[in-house]
Amino acid sequence: MTKQNLSESLFKPQVKHPETSTLVKYVCPQATNISNKMLSGERQERWYRMINWLAWIWRGINPLEIQDVLSRIAVTNAERSHDHLLDTVVGYRKGNWAFEWSQQAMFWQQKAQHAEQGSKTSECWLKASMLYSIAAYPHLRGDELADQAVSLANKAYENAAHFSDYQLKKLKFRLEEGKTVTGLLHIPSGVQGPCPTILVCASLDSLQSDCWRLFREHFSPLGFAMLTVDMPSVGYSAKFTLTQDTCALHQQVLQQLKTVPWIDHTRVGIFGFRFGANIAVRLAYLEPHLIKGVAVVSPVVHELLHGEKLQQKIPSMYKDVIASRLGIYHVDEAALRSELSCYSLKNQGLLGRRCSVPMFSVYWKDDIFSPREDSKLIARSSMDGSLLAIPSTPVYSGFSRALHESSVWLKDKVD
């Protein structure tokens, strides 16, 4: 018998974790899709994931740091699920997506542990949290390594808040089915008494903690508290599945805000991004007396959910994300298209009807996820609706403007 090298036996993976790109399977192989870079990230031929430079830089990650981690993933010779896709390394080891991003997060975690207590410590913990979140991206159900990274991201985020100048309250809301869901309430520094609050509905492929900059730079300066709740099947909401009643989770949270002492439940607005806008707009129809205004950016409410041509343009990873949120693991694309049409708020008979809640929608030209028609439909359906077109370039400043205009509009409606 050949004596095994000690280092080989120590570092050999004990469990062959399922590789992310293999979690969702298709009846027929998918064609390769190339998306535009607007907000969604760059889909290159050699990557399974959409490389979302805009979002990651906006969350505070240095571009050189992103490039460094991607390079480490690219150069490894380890086994991959798909030889032509760089980010499909099997097992938790060098070159694996979760491994490399988690290693980078640990670097900042160690810096936080050795930094002087204060803003520097908070900044280091925050960077660690954002990097752990990327390690879990795109947050598919059944991804064991991603689940571990999410737990570390949430803990690091709590640590970041502990050393910051604002308050973070971890709230548990009891749901009808006997379960609970956790939301994070961000309270501006120096505020006394209940705050006007914005409930944020984020995109399908992010954690609620990823919205920190939205609070720090846009809502907090205007005196708003920010409440976040993870999307169904993500993060703290991992045990839930997205249904055609897309806002079910957030609706039950919204109904309980009057029991939260830090929130002025008479002054509540909703902000939604991408598919989160679907939830936000649906809430406006179902709970109009609880909401002062709804602002959405790049909404996914009808066209993408209803139109086969648009669906054929979106990247494979995003299709996997949608299927995962719906609890579908063996996908027939024709059946998935039929199912998605039921998530259209127009097909549900909501959008197109007059809504008493003021609504504001922001869109980009040539955004395949959210065509202009979706924003026009939202604005026309509201008794006090408006829309804003943002130039396609420069992307980063356009995104910042969208968030600024949305927060200022919410200030006018909620106060």
Side-chain angles (χ1 to χ4, degrees), residues 173-238:
F173 297 92
R174 200 166 292 279
L175 307 182
E176 292 174 355
E177 52 267 42
K179 299 178 181 178
T180 60
V181 68
T182 298
L184 299 178
L185 178 64
H186 305 68
I187 303 174
S189 60
V191 173
Q192 301 295 323
C195 297
T197 301
I198 305 301
L199 174 61
V200 173
C201 310
S203 58
L204 290 173
D205 55 359
S206 63
L207 298 177
Q208 56 179 309
S209 55
D210 294 332
C211 299
W212 72 271
R213 195 166 178 180
L214 182 58
F215 169 70
R216 296 296 294 270
E217 296 188 1
H218 298 282
F219 292 153
S220 179
L222 296 176
F224 284 127
M226 181 181 81
L227 177 63
T228 54
V229 179
D230 281 316
M231 296 289 282
S233 91
V234 179
Y236 286 116
S237 304

Side-chain angles (χ1 to χ4, degrees), residues 24-289:
V24 178
K25 297 176 172 56
Y26 289 78
V27 174
C28 297
Q30 297 187 91
T32 300
N33 296 302
I34 306 296
S35 76
N36 63 333
K37 298 180 184 180
M38 176 60 60
L39 301 178
S40 60
E42 185 175 358
R43 170 65 170 93
Q44 298 180 356
E45 289 293 330
R46 299 302 305 277
W47 298 89
Y48 162 70
R49 291 166 179 82
M50 299 177 337
I51 307 304
N52 206 339
W53 289 89
L54 171 65
W56 300 343
I57 294 171
W58 179 76
R59 293 175 199 167
I61 308 302
N62 188 299
L64 294 178
E65 196 169 7
I66 297 172
Q67 187 61 60
D68 180 51
V69 178
L70 293 178
S71 297
R72 298 204 301 262
I73 294 170
V75 299
T76 185
N77 292 320
E79 175 193 358
R80 291 180 165 90
S81 294
H82 307 278
D83 291 337
H84 65 291
L85 297 177
L86 298 170
D87 55 328
T88 62
V89 170
V90 179
Y92 192 69
R93 53 181 167 176
K94 288 185 177 180
N96 173 266
W97 180 273
F99 177 90
E100 295 295 352
W101 287 104
S102 293
Q103 289 295 304
Q104 197 65 27
M106 289 177 192
F107 167 78
W108 286 102
Q109 182 172 308
Q110 290 171 354
K111 289 195 71 170
Q113 292 168 341
H114 292 94
E116 292 185 11
Q117 293 188 4
S119 60
K120 183 64 176 178
T121 305
S122 178
E123 180 184 337
C124 292
W125 276 118
L126 187 59
K127 286 183 182 294
S129 177
M130 297 304 103
L131 288 160
Y132 278 129
S133 176
I134 299 174
Y137 173 76
H139 309 285
L140 299 186
R141 298 178 86 170
D143 192 335
E144 298 167 3
L145 296 177
D147 291 342
Q148 295 171 18
V150 167
S151 296
L152 293 169
N154 288 333
K155 182 60 179 175
Y157 191 67
E158 291 178 36
N159 289 337
H162 179 72
F163 294 102
S164 72
D165 60 354
Y166 65 92
Q167 295 183 64
L168 181 70
K169 303 289 184 182
K170 193 175 178 180
L171 307 177
K172 285 191 179 295
F173 297 92
R174 200 166 292 279
L175 307 182
E176 292 174 355
E177 52 267 42
K179 299 178 181 178
T180 60
V181 68
T182 298
L184 299 178
L185 178 64
H186 305 68
I187 303 174
S189 60
V191 173
Q192 301 295 323
C195 297
T197 301
I198 305 301
L199 174 61
V200 173
C201 310
S203 58
L204 290 173
D205 55 359
S206 63
L207 298 177
Q208 56 179 309
S209 55
D210 294 332
C211 299
W212 72 271
R213 195 166 178 180
L214 182 58
F215 169 70
R216 296 296 294 270
E217 296 188 1
H218 298 282
F219 292 153
S220 179
L222 296 176
F224 284 127
M226 181 181 81
L227 177 63
T228 54
V229 179
D230 281 316
M231 296 289 282
S233 91
V234 179
Y236 286 116
S237 304
K239 57 192 173 185
F240 300 97
T241 299
L242 188 67
T243 68
Q244 294 173 20
D245 183 6
T246 55
C247 69
L249 201 62
H250 291 73
Q251 184 179 7
Q252 292 182 68
V253 169
L254 181 64
Q255 292 168 346
Q256 295 178 53
L257 295 190
K258 60 186 176 183
T259 68
V260 181
W262 304 283
I263 292 177
D264 181 352
H265 70 279
T266 66
R267 292 188 293 166
V268 174
I270 313 290
F271 175 83
F273 177 66
R274 279 277 164 78
F275 197 90
N278 189 292
I279 292 173
V281 173
R282 202 168 196 278
L283 283 172
Y285 279 95
L286 300 186
E287 300 289 354
H289 301 298

